[in-house]
Amino acid sequence: MMWRRRHPSPLRPALALAACLLWCSAALAAPEPKPASASAHVLRMAFQIAETSLDPAQVSDEYSGEIVSNIFESPLVYDYLARPVKLKPLTATALPEVSADFKQFTLHIKPGIHFAADPAFKGLKPGEKRELVAADYAFALKRHFDPRLRSPHFANLESEQILGLAGLRERSVKSGKPFDYDAPVEGLQTPDRYTLIIKLGRPSPRFAHRLAQVMSLAVAREVVEAYGDSIGEHPVGTGPFVLKDWRRASRLVLERNPGFREAYFDESPAPDDAAAQAVARELKGRRLPLVDRVEVSIVTENQPRWLAYLGGDFDFLAVPNEYAALAAPGGQLAPHLAKRGMSLYRNLLSDVIFSYFNMEDPVVGGYAPEKVALRRAISLGYDNEEEVRSVRRRQAIPAQSIITPNTFGYQPQIKTEMSEYNLAKARALLDMYGYIDRDGDGWRELPDGSPLRLEYHTQPDSNSRAFNELWRKHMAALHVQVDFKSANWPDNMKAARAGRLMVWMLSWTADMPDADSLLATAYGPAKGEDNLSRFNLPEYDRLVQRSQSMADGPERLALIQEAERLLTAYMPMKAHVHRIRLRLAQPWLKGYLPHPFLQGFWRFLDSQPPAGKKS
């Protein structure tokens, strides 16, 4: 599961008019695309927010995750074209052999896969390459248990109970000594060079999906030890691309890995999926990766990113919400964009936007009735429907829980207090529990008479400011003061993990078609990692643990529903929306088809703008 950081918002009216005029002029006379040469295959895109690290053990956001998934490789991967989604081998020879009790998973790694060349690999003969072996995956999994790294993937892996790893971590924590990577553990065995046996302490019917995620990307120990604390700046993997240039928060360039093995496009579209079938016909049998170079620009503001796409600077774009009606009026591709040969993709994402409350904060945290009442009142006083209408321009649906679309456990038909807007009920709750205006200044105080001031943490960009205004408006209607504390996203995430933020809004994206990792956002042992709210309720944890060990079915669904009810009752986080994403692709981009979970898909894309031809 990956944190995402996009919160598209509308411009203010004057800016919106200016943006519209600029857009119209761009639509009538868009600049010519600027291909590097007639033969260059270069994929160009824009990220809205900067990457954080290129070390898989320290990556939790969508953008960094996408980059590392194109440099490193996991044993399994999602088939790019298959819907419903399905797993397939990537560096493994086949899907894992699974014991009848779902406690043992055996992988066989393909011989002849090599890491990209790097000075960290010492002692190799001239022309010799460092081969990928099973021990590299065992080492990569161990890294998430190293307490020094504070891996955001630790909680999900810890819940799987890989035998011996939790004890190894605990010994490091208690002794203060470095994590012992050489210590044998029962749960990670490599009986030969290419075989990895993973043993779990509980049944885990969905564990194979972990083997297709960022947490399972192969990392070479020599590289980690050579670069030490700067490992996040030196990604060396077995994937189709290598890092060529990196200007932090500005630009990244990847180039084709010259040592990448022979791999060919061979994905499996459903017979009735016309779009996927068309991609398969066009690319069948072509050697991967299809492009020679990938250029990623960091463009934080929506307007310049949008105009740059119209000018041909980027090959595809997630349409900012303020331009949704211009790009796709009525949900259909705008005629002039269709005339230019562009394609439109509209998808309900497997994500949830939410605001979390720090359960250890003296103002909004705690489990006493008056603290629960405060959080529920705040939730009831915030209108998700208005967010959908005014900020997201109807490119979202209200969320009733943290469980996302496209996952087992998602129930589109339910209605909960998570998305209920009821100002009268919210005010009554605050009155009932003593949050009243005692000094006549128009603002409520805490039950003990001290000031009630929310600290809402945010980012210094126009997207965040629109949400700030919505929060300010709704809290003013409750007579609750709110202060906005602005910092860049990586700094906010660092503070959130340390428990220093009171309230923060962000998104969480499912990276597998199941609720397991979503429930981890409130799982007690994941406090400070996946669980940023620091929610700690034993009853909830027991429900999560039981559901994790069960095969899908009505009984497991009932456990997930009960866990959702507890989150609604205690409100450690308020779910806002599930986003709808509009994506545009240029006519020269081949192979593009959004996938709900797959990262590392750049190998399947080809881009070669025709030289001298207007788009």
Side-chain angles (χ1 to χ4, degrees), residues 159-217:
S159 72
E160 299 288 1
Q161 298 179 22
I162 300 176
L163 295 177
L165 281 184
L168 198 60
R169 175 187 173 94
E170 186 177 358
R171 287 198 294 275
S172 177
V173 171
K174 287 184 175 180
S175 68
K177 295 180 179 179
F179 186 83
D180 187 357
Y181 285 96
D182 293 314
V185 293
E186 184 182 354
L188 293 174
Q189 299 180 14
T190 53
D192 60 56
R193 185 172 177 83
Y194 303 110
T195 301
L196 174 64
I197 300 174
I198 303 173
K199 295 183 177 181
L200 311 178
R202 67 166 179 87
S204 183
R206 290 158 296 279
F207 182 77
H209 289 275
R210 303 288 189 204
L211 302 174
Q213 297 173 359
V214 169
M215 66 181 67
S216 295
L217 296 174

Short mmCIF file of all heavy atoms in Angstrom, two decimals, residues 159-217:
data_model
loop_
_atom_site.label_atom_id
_atom_site.label_comp_id
_atom_site.label_asym_id
_atom_site.label_seq_id
_atom_site.Cartn_x
_atom_site.Cartn_y
_atom_site.Cartn_z
N SER A 159 2.68 -8.32 10.31
CA SER A 159 1.38 -8.99 10.49
C SER A 159 1.34 -10.36 9.81
O SER A 159 0.53 -11.20 10.16
CB SER A 159 0.25 -8.11 9.94
OG SER A 159 0.27 -8.07 8.52
N GLU A 160 2.24 -10.58 8.85
CA GLU A 160 2.29 -11.88 8.18
C GLU A 160 3.02 -12.93 9.03
O GLU A 160 2.97 -14.11 8.74
CB GLU A 160 2.99 -11.74 6.83
CG GLU A 160 2.30 -10.81 5.84
CD GLU A 160 1.01 -11.38 5.28
OE1 GLU A 160 0.63 -12.50 5.66
OE2 GLU A 160 0.38 -10.69 4.46
N GLN A 161 3.75 -12.47 10.05
CA GLN A 161 4.43 -13.36 11.00
C GLN A 161 5.44 -14.27 10.31
O GLN A 161 5.42 -15.50 10.48
CB GLN A 161 3.41 -14.18 11.80
CG GLN A 161 2.47 -13.34 12.64
CD GLN A 161 1.45 -14.17 13.42
OE1 GLN A 161 1.67 -15.36 13.66
NE2 GLN A 161 0.36 -13.54 13.80
N ILE A 162 6.34 -13.68 9.53
CA ILE A 162 7.45 -14.46 8.97
C ILE A 162 8.30 -14.94 10.15
O ILE A 162 8.82 -14.14 10.92
CB ILE A 162 8.29 -13.61 8.00
CG1 ILE A 162 7.42 -13.12 6.84
CG2 ILE A 162 9.47 -14.42 7.46
CD1 ILE A 162 8.12 -12.19 5.88
N LEU A 163 8.41 -16.23 10.30
CA LEU A 163 8.97 -16.81 11.52
C LEU A 163 10.40 -16.33 11.78
O LEU A 163 11.27 -16.41 10.91
CB LEU A 163 8.95 -18.34 11.42
CG LEU A 163 7.56 -18.98 11.36
CD1 LEU A 163 7.67 -20.49 11.19
CD2 LEU A 163 6.76 -18.66 12.63
N GLY A 164 10.63 -15.81 12.97
CA GLY A 164 11.95 -15.42 13.41
C GLY A 164 12.29 -13.96 13.19
O GLY A 164 13.20 -13.44 13.86
N LEU A 165 11.63 -13.27 12.29
CA LEU A 165 12.01 -11.89 11.99
C LEU A 165 11.63 -10.92 13.11
O LEU A 165 12.39 -10.00 13.43
CB LEU A 165 11.40 -11.44 10.67
CG LEU A 165 12.11 -11.94 9.41
CD1 LEU A 165 11.46 -11.33 8.17
CD2 LEU A 165 13.59 -11.60 9.43
N ALA A 166 10.46 -11.12 13.71
CA ALA A 166 10.06 -10.22 14.80
C ALA A 166 11.02 -10.35 15.98
O ALA A 166 11.41 -9.35 16.60
CB ALA A 166 8.63 -10.53 15.24
N GLY A 167 11.45 -11.58 16.28
CA GLY A 167 12.40 -11.79 17.37
C GLY A 167 13.75 -11.17 17.07
O GLY A 167 14.40 -10.60 17.95
N LEU A 168 14.17 -11.25 15.81
CA LEU A 168 15.43 -10.65 15.42
C LEU A 168 15.38 -9.14 15.58
O LEU A 168 16.34 -8.52 16.06
CB LEU A 168 15.72 -11.02 13.96
CG LEU A 168 17.16 -10.87 13.46
CD1 LEU A 168 18.12 -11.73 14.27
CD2 LEU A 168 17.23 -11.23 11.99
N ARG A 169 14.27 -8.56 15.20
CA ARG A 169 14.10 -7.11 15.37
C ARG A 169 14.10 -6.74 16.85
O ARG A 169 14.73 -5.76 17.26
CB ARG A 169 12.80 -6.67 14.70
CG ARG A 169 12.45 -5.19 14.91
CD ARG A 169 11.06 -4.90 14.36
NE ARG A 169 10.60 -3.56 14.68
CZ ARG A 169 10.74 -2.50 13.88
NH1 ARG A 169 11.36 -2.62 12.71
NH2 ARG A 169 10.27 -1.32 14.24
N GLU A 170 13.37 -7.51 17.65
CA GLU A 170 13.26 -7.21 19.07
C GLU A 170 14.62 -7.25 19.76
O GLU A 170 14.93 -6.42 20.62
CB GLU A 170 12.30 -8.19 19.74
CG GLU A 170 12.00 -7.87 21.20
CD GLU A 170 10.99 -8.83 21.81
OE1 GLU A 170 10.51 -9.72 21.08
OE2 GLU A 170 10.69 -8.68 23.01
N ARG A 171 15.46 -8.21 19.36
CA ARG A 171 16.79 -8.29 19.97
C ARG A 171 17.61 -7.05 19.63
O ARG A 171 18.37 -6.55 20.48
CB ARG A 171 17.51 -9.56 19.48
CG ARG A 171 16.97 -10.84 20.08
CD ARG A 171 17.94 -11.99 19.93
NE ARG A 171 18.15 -12.38 18.53
CZ ARG A 171 17.36 -13.22 17.88
NH1 ARG A 171 16.29 -13.75 18.48
NH2 ARG A 171 17.63 -13.56 16.64
N SER A 172 17.46 -6.57 18.42
CA SER A 172 18.19 -5.35 18.02
C SER A 172 17.70 -4.15 18.81
O SER A 172 18.50 -3.32 19.27
CB SER A 172 18.02 -5.11 16.52
OG SER A 172 18.65 -3.92 16.13
N VAL A 173 16.38 -4.04 19.00
CA VAL A 173 15.81 -2.91 19.73
C VAL A 173 16.27 -2.94 21.19
O VAL A 173 16.69 -1.91 21.75
CB VAL A 173 14.27 -2.93 19.65
CG1 VAL A 173 13.66 -1.90 20.59
CG2 VAL A 173 13.82 -2.67 18.21
N LYS A 174 16.19 -4.11 21.81
CA LYS A 174 16.52 -4.21 23.23
C LYS A 174 18.02 -4.03 23.50
O LYS A 174 18.42 -3.42 24.50
CB LYS A 174 16.05 -5.55 23.78
CG LYS A 174 14.54 -5.65 23.95
CD LYS A 174 14.13 -6.96 24.59
CE LYS A 174 12.63 -7.00 24.85
NZ LYS A 174 12.21 -8.28 25.47
N SER A 175 18.85 -4.54 22.61
CA SER A 175 20.30 -4.48 22.84
C SER A 175 20.91 -3.17 22.36
O SER A 175 22.00 -2.79 22.79
CB SER A 175 20.99 -5.64 22.13
OG SER A 175 20.90 -5.48 20.71
N GLY A 176 20.20 -2.49 21.44
CA GLY A 176 20.76 -1.29 20.84
C GLY A 176 21.83 -1.58 19.81
O GLY A 176 22.48 -0.67 19.30
N LYS A 177 22.02 -2.86 19.50
CA LYS A 177 23.03 -3.25 18.52
C LYS A 177 22.42 -3.26 17.11
O LYS A 177 21.20 -3.36 16.96
CB LYS A 177 23.57 -4.64 18.86
CG LYS A 177 24.33 -4.69 20.18
CD LYS A 177 24.84 -6.10 20.46
CE LYS A 177 25.62 -6.14 21.77
NZ LYS A 177 26.11 -7.52 22.08
N PRO A 178 23.27 -3.17 16.08
CA PRO A 178 22.74 -3.22 14.71
C PRO A 178 21.98 -4.51 14.44
O PRO A 178 22.27 -5.57 15.03
CB PRO A 178 24.01 -3.14 13.85
CG PRO A 178 25.02 -2.47 14.72
CD PRO A 178 24.72 -2.93 16.12
N PHE A 179 21.03 -4.41 13.57
CA PHE A 179 20.23 -5.58 13.17
C PHE A 179 21.16 -6.62 12.56
O PHE A 179 22.03 -6.31 11.73
CB PHE A 179 19.19 -5.13 12.14
CG PHE A 179 18.22 -6.18 11.74
CD1 PHE A 179 17.10 -6.46 12.51
CD2 PHE A 179 18.40 -6.89 10.56
CE1 PHE A 179 16.18 -7.42 12.12
CE2 PHE A 179 17.48 -7.86 10.16
CZ PHE A 179 16.38 -8.13 10.94
N ASP A 180 21.00 -7.89 12.98
CA ASP A 180 21.89 -8.96 12.56
C ASP A 180 21.35 -9.64 11.29
O ASP A 180 20.54 -10.55 11.37
CB ASP A 180 22.04 -9.98 13.69
CG ASP A 180 23.10 -11.04 13.38
OD1 ASP A 180 23.67 -11.02 12.26
OD2 ASP A 180 23.35 -11.89 14.25
N TYR A 181 21.84 -9.17 10.16
CA TYR A 181 21.38 -9.73 8.88
C TYR A 181 21.90 -11.14 8.64
O TYR A 181 21.35 -11.88 7.81
CB TYR A 181 21.81 -8.83 7.73
CG TYR A 181 20.99 -7.56 7.63
CD1 TYR A 181 21.45 -6.37 8.19
CD2 TYR A 181 19.76 -7.54 6.97
CE1 TYR A 181 20.70 -5.20 8.11
CE2 TYR A 181 19.01 -6.38 6.89
CZ TYR A 181 19.49 -5.22 7.46
OH TYR A 181 18.74 -4.06 7.38
N ASP A 182 22.95 -11.54 9.35
CA ASP A 182 23.52 -12.88 9.14
C ASP A 182 22.84 -13.95 9.99
O ASP A 182 23.06 -15.14 9.76
CB ASP A 182 25.02 -12.84 9.46
CG ASP A 182 25.78 -11.99 8.47
OD1 ASP A 182 25.54 -12.14 7.25
OD2 ASP A 182 26.59 -11.16 8.90
N ALA A 183 22.05 -13.53 10.96
CA ALA A 183 21.40 -14.52 11.82
C ALA A 183 20.37 -15.32 11.02
O ALA A 183 19.53 -14.74 10.32
CB ALA A 183 20.72 -13.82 12.99
N PRO A 184 20.43 -16.63 11.09
CA PRO A 184 19.43 -17.44 10.36
C PRO A 184 18.06 -17.29 11.01
O PRO A 184 17.95 -17.16 12.23
CB PRO A 184 19.96 -18.87 10.50
CG PRO A 184 20.80 -18.85 11.75
CD PRO A 184 21.39 -17.47 11.83
N VAL A 185 17.03 -17.25 10.18
CA VAL A 185 15.65 -17.22 10.69
C VAL A 185 14.86 -18.33 10.00
O VAL A 185 15.05 -18.60 8.82
CB VAL A 185 14.98 -15.85 10.45
CG1 VAL A 185 15.64 -14.77 11.28
CG2 VAL A 185 14.99 -15.47 8.98
N GLU A 186 14.00 -18.94 10.76
CA GLU A 186 13.24 -20.06 10.24
C GLU A 186 12.35 -19.67 9.06
O GLU A 186 12.11 -20.46 8.15
CB GLU A 186 12.37 -20.67 11.36
CG GLU A 186 11.60 -21.90 10.93
CD GLU A 186 10.73 -22.46 12.04
OE1 GLU A 186 10.80 -21.94 13.18
OE2 GLU A 186 9.95 -23.40 11.75
N GLY A 187 11.89 -18.43 9.07
CA GLY A 187 10.91 -18.01 8.07
C GLY A 187 11.48 -17.65 6.72
O GLY A 187 10.71 -17.45 5.77
N LEU A 188 12.80 -17.54 6.61
CA LEU A 188 13.43 -17.22 5.32
C LEU A 188 14.56 -18.21 5.09
O LEU A 188 15.64 -18.09 5.68
CB LEU A 188 13.96 -15.79 5.30
CG LEU A 188 12.93 -14.66 5.36
CD1 LEU A 188 13.61 -13.31 5.49
CD2 LEU A 188 12.02 -14.69 4.13
N GLN A 189 14.33 -19.18 4.24
CA GLN A 189 15.33 -20.21 3.99
C GLN A 189 15.69 -20.23 2.50
O GLN A 189 14.81 -20.09 1.63
CB GLN A 189 14.81 -21.58 4.41
CG GLN A 189 14.49 -21.68 5.90
CD GLN A 189 13.98 -23.05 6.31
OE1 GLN A 189 14.09 -24.02 5.54
NE2 GLN A 189 13.41 -23.14 7.51
N THR A 190 16.98 -20.41 2.24
CA THR A 190 17.46 -20.51 0.85
C THR A 190 18.25 -21.81 0.71
O THR A 190 19.48 -21.81 0.78
CB THR A 190 18.34 -19.30 0.49
OG1 THR A 190 19.37 -19.16 1.48
CG2 THR A 190 17.51 -18.02 0.47
N PRO A 191 17.56 -22.93 0.51
CA PRO A 191 18.24 -24.23 0.45
C PRO A 191 19.18 -24.36 -0.75
O PRO A 191 20.07 -25.21 -0.72
CB PRO A 191 17.08 -25.22 0.36
CG PRO A 191 15.93 -24.44 -0.17
CD PRO A 191 16.10 -23.06 0.38
N ASP A 192 18.97 -23.57 -1.78
CA ASP A 192 19.92 -23.53 -2.88
C ASP A 192 19.93 -22.12 -3.45
O ASP A 192 19.22 -21.23 -2.97
CB ASP A 192 19.59 -24.58 -3.96
CG ASP A 192 18.21 -24.39 -4.58
OD1 ASP A 192 17.94 -23.27 -5.08
OD2 ASP A 192 17.41 -25.33 -4.56
N ARG A 193 20.72 -21.90 -4.45
CA ARG A 193 20.98 -20.57 -4.97
C ARG A 193 19.72 -19.86 -5.46
O ARG A 193 19.61 -18.63 -5.35
CB ARG A 193 21.99 -20.69 -6.12
CG ARG A 193 22.47 -19.37 -6.70
CD ARG A 193 23.61 -19.61 -7.69
NE ARG A 193 24.06 -18.39 -8.31
CZ ARG A 193 24.93 -17.53 -7.79
NH1 ARG A 193 25.43 -17.78 -6.59
NH2 ARG A 193 25.29 -16.44 -8.44
N TYR A 194 18.75 -20.61 -5.96
CA TYR A 194 17.60 -19.99 -6.60
C TYR A 194 16.27 -20.25 -5.90
O TYR A 194 15.23 -19.85 -6.40
CB TYR A 194 17.50 -20.49 -8.06
CG TYR A 194 18.75 -20.22 -8.87
CD1 TYR A 194 19.57 -21.26 -9.26
CD2 TYR A 194 19.11 -18.92 -9.20
CE1 TYR A 194 20.73 -21.02 -9.99
CE2 TYR A 194 20.26 -18.67 -9.94
CZ TYR A 194 21.07 -19.72 -10.32
OH TYR A 194 22.22 -19.46 -11.04
N THR A 195 16.30 -20.88 -4.74
CA THR A 195 15.07 -21.23 -4.05
C THR A 195 14.92 -20.43 -2.75
O THR A 195 15.86 -20.37 -1.95
CB THR A 195 15.01 -22.74 -3.72
OG1 THR A 195 15.11 -23.49 -4.94
CG2 THR A 195 13.71 -23.09 -3.02
N LEU A 196 13.76 -19.84 -2.57
CA LEU A 196 13.43 -19.12 -1.34
C LEU A 196 12.18 -19.74 -0.74
O LEU A 196 11.14 -19.83 -1.40
CB LEU A 196 13.18 -17.64 -1.63
CG LEU A 196 12.69 -16.78 -0.44
CD1 LEU A 196 13.74 -16.73 0.66
CD2 LEU A 196 12.30 -15.39 -0.91
N ILE A 197 12.29 -20.17 0.52
CA ILE A 197 11.16 -20.72 1.24
C ILE A 197 10.78 -19.72 2.34
O ILE A 197 11.61 -19.37 3.18
CB ILE A 197 11.48 -22.10 1.86
CG1 ILE A 197 11.85 -23.10 0.76
CG2 ILE A 197 10.29 -22.61 2.67
CD1 ILE A 197 12.33 -24.44 1.29
N ILE A 198 9.53 -19.28 2.31
CA ILE A 198 9.03 -18.33 3.30
C ILE A 198 8.02 -19.05 4.18
O ILE A 198 7.03 -19.60 3.67
CB ILE A 198 8.38 -17.12 2.62
CG1 ILE A 198 9.37 -16.44 1.68
CG2 ILE A 198 7.87 -16.12 3.67
CD1 ILE A 198 8.76 -15.33 0.84
N LYS A 199 8.28 -19.06 5.49
CA LYS A 199 7.39 -19.73 6.43
C LYS A 199 6.74 -18.70 7.35
O LYS A 199 7.43 -17.83 7.89
CB LYS A 199 8.16 -20.76 7.26
CG LYS A 199 8.71 -21.93 6.45
CD LYS A 199 9.39 -22.95 7.34
CE LYS A 199 9.88 -24.15 6.54
NZ LYS A 199 10.52 -25.17 7.42
N LEU A 200 5.44 -18.82 7.51
CA LEU A 200 4.66 -17.86 8.29
C LEU A 200 4.12 -18.51 9.56
O LEU A 200 3.91 -19.72 9.61
CB LEU A 200 3.50 -17.32 7.45
CG LEU A 200 3.84 -16.81 6.05
CD1 LEU A 200 2.56 -16.36 5.34
CD2 LEU A 200 4.85 -15.68 6.11
N GLY A 201 3.85 -17.68 10.54
CA GLY A 201 3.30 -18.16 11.80
C GLY A 201 1.79 -18.24 11.80
O GLY A 201 1.19 -18.64 12.81
N ARG A 202 1.16 -17.83 10.71
CA ARG A 202 -0.30 -17.90 10.60
C ARG A 202 -0.66 -18.16 9.16
O ARG A 202 0.13 -17.89 8.25
CB ARG A 202 -0.93 -16.58 11.05
CG ARG A 202 -0.62 -15.40 10.13
CD ARG A 202 -1.53 -14.22 10.39
NE ARG A 202 -1.24 -13.06 9.54
CZ ARG A 202 -1.75 -12.88 8.33
NH1 ARG A 202 -2.57 -13.79 7.81
NH2 ARG A 202 -1.46 -11.80 7.63
N PRO A 203 -1.86 -18.68 8.92
CA PRO A 203 -2.29 -18.82 7.52
C PRO A 203 -2.42 -17.44 6.87
O PRO A 203 -2.91 -16.49 7.49
CB PRO A 203 -3.67 -19.48 7.65
CG PRO A 203 -3.70 -20.09 9.01
CD PRO A 203 -2.86 -19.20 9.87
N SER A 204 -1.98 -17.32 5.64
CA SER A 204 -2.07 -16.06 4.92
C SER A 204 -2.45 -16.34 3.47
O SER A 204 -1.58 -16.42 2.59
CB SER A 204 -0.75 -15.28 4.99
OG SER A 204 -0.89 -14.03 4.35
N PRO A 205 -3.75 -16.50 3.21
CA PRO A 205 -4.18 -16.87 1.85
C PRO A 205 -3.79 -15.86 0.78
O PRO A 205 -3.75 -16.21 -0.40
CB PRO A 205 -5.71 -16.96 1.99
CG PRO A 205 -5.95 -17.21 3.44
CD PRO A 205 -4.87 -16.47 4.16
N ARG A 206 -3.50 -14.62 1.17
CA ARG A 206 -3.20 -13.59 0.16
C ARG A 206 -1.73 -13.16 0.19
O ARG A 206 -1.37 -12.14 -0.40
CB ARG A 206 -4.11 -12.36 0.41
CG ARG A 206 -5.56 -12.65 0.09
CD ARG A 206 -6.51 -11.73 0.80
NE ARG A 206 -6.45 -11.90 2.24
CZ ARG A 206 -7.09 -12.88 2.91
NH1 ARG A 206 -7.82 -13.74 2.26
NH2 ARG A 206 -6.97 -12.98 4.22
N PHE A 207 -0.87 -13.94 0.82
CA PHE A 207 0.52 -13.53 0.95
C PHE A 207 1.21 -13.38 -0.41
O PHE A 207 2.12 -12.54 -0.56
CB PHE A 207 1.30 -14.54 1.80
CG PHE A 207 2.74 -14.16 2.00
CD1 PHE A 207 3.09 -13.18 2.91
CD2 PHE A 207 3.75 -14.78 1.26
CE1 PHE A 207 4.43 -12.81 3.09
CE2 PHE A 207 5.07 -14.42 1.43
CZ PHE A 207 5.41 -13.43 2.34
N ALA A 208 0.81 -14.14 -1.40
CA ALA A 208 1.46 -14.04 -2.72
C ALA A 208 1.42 -12.62 -3.26
O ALA A 208 2.33 -12.20 -3.98
CB ALA A 208 0.81 -15.01 -3.70
N HIS A 209 0.38 -11.86 -2.89
CA HIS A 209 0.30 -10.48 -3.38
C HIS A 209 1.42 -9.62 -2.80
O HIS A 209 1.84 -8.65 -3.43
CB HIS A 209 -1.06 -9.88 -3.02
CG HIS A 209 -2.19 -10.45 -3.82
ND1 HIS A 209 -2.55 -9.99 -5.06
CD2 HIS A 209 -3.05 -11.46 -3.54
CE1 HIS A 209 -3.58 -10.67 -5.52
NE2 HIS A 209 -3.90 -11.58 -4.61
N ARG A 210 1.91 -9.97 -1.61
CA ARG A 210 3.04 -9.22 -1.04
C ARG A 210 4.28 -9.35 -1.93
O ARG A 210 5.14 -8.47 -1.94
CB ARG A 210 3.39 -9.75 0.35
CG ARG A 210 2.26 -9.74 1.36
CD ARG A 210 1.93 -8.35 1.80
NE ARG A 210 0.99 -8.33 2.91
CZ ARG A 210 0.20 -7.32 3.20
NH1 ARG A 210 0.23 -6.22 2.46
NH2 ARG A 210 -0.62 -7.37 4.24
N LEU A 211 4.35 -10.44 -2.66
CA LEU A 211 5.53 -10.72 -3.49
C LEU A 211 5.49 -9.97 -4.82
O LEU A 211 6.36 -10.15 -5.67
CB LEU A 211 5.65 -12.23 -3.73
CG LEU A 211 5.75 -13.06 -2.45
CD1 LEU A 211 5.71 -14.54 -2.77
CD2 LEU A 211 7.01 -12.71 -1.67
N ALA A 212 4.48 -9.11 -4.99
CA ALA A 212 4.39 -8.27 -6.18
C ALA A 212 4.44 -6.80 -5.80
O ALA A 212 4.10 -5.94 -6.62
CB ALA A 212 3.10 -8.58 -6.94
N GLN A 213 4.86 -6.49 -4.58
CA GLN A 213 4.81 -5.12 -4.08
C GLN A 213 6.21 -4.56 -3.84
O GLN A 213 7.21 -5.30 -3.89
CB GLN A 213 3.99 -5.08 -2.78
CG GLN A 213 2.54 -5.48 -2.99
CD GLN A 213 1.77 -5.60 -1.68
OE1 GLN A 213 2.30 -5.40 -0.60
NE2 GLN A 213 0.50 -5.93 -1.78
N VAL A 214 6.28 -3.27 -3.56
CA VAL A 214 7.55 -2.59 -3.33
C VAL A 214 8.35 -3.28 -2.22
O VAL A 214 9.58 -3.36 -2.28
CB VAL A 214 7.32 -1.11 -3.00
CG1 VAL A 214 8.59 -0.44 -2.48
CG2 VAL A 214 6.80 -0.36 -4.22
N MET A 215 7.67 -3.79 -1.20
CA MET A 215 8.34 -4.44 -0.08
C MET A 215 9.16 -5.66 -0.51
O MET A 215 10.05 -6.10 0.22
CB MET A 215 7.34 -4.85 0.98
CG MET A 215 6.37 -5.93 0.52
SD MET A 215 5.17 -6.37 1.81
CE MET A 215 4.21 -4.89 1.95
N SER A 216 8.88 -6.21 -1.69
CA SER A 216 9.55 -7.43 -2.15
C SER A 216 10.51 -7.18 -3.31
O SER A 216 10.92 -8.12 -3.99
CB SER A 216 8.51 -8.49 -2.55
OG SER A 216 7.76 -8.89 -1.44
N LEU A 217 10.88 -5.93 -3.55
CA LEU A 217 11.85 -5.64 -4.61
C LEU A 217 13.23 -6.12 -4.19
O LEU A 217 13.67 -5.88 -3.06
CB LEU A 217 11.88 -4.14 -4.90
CG LEU A 217 10.58 -3.54 -5.47
CD1 LEU A 217 10.70 -2.03 -5.58
CD2 LEU A 217 10.24 -4.15 -6.83
#
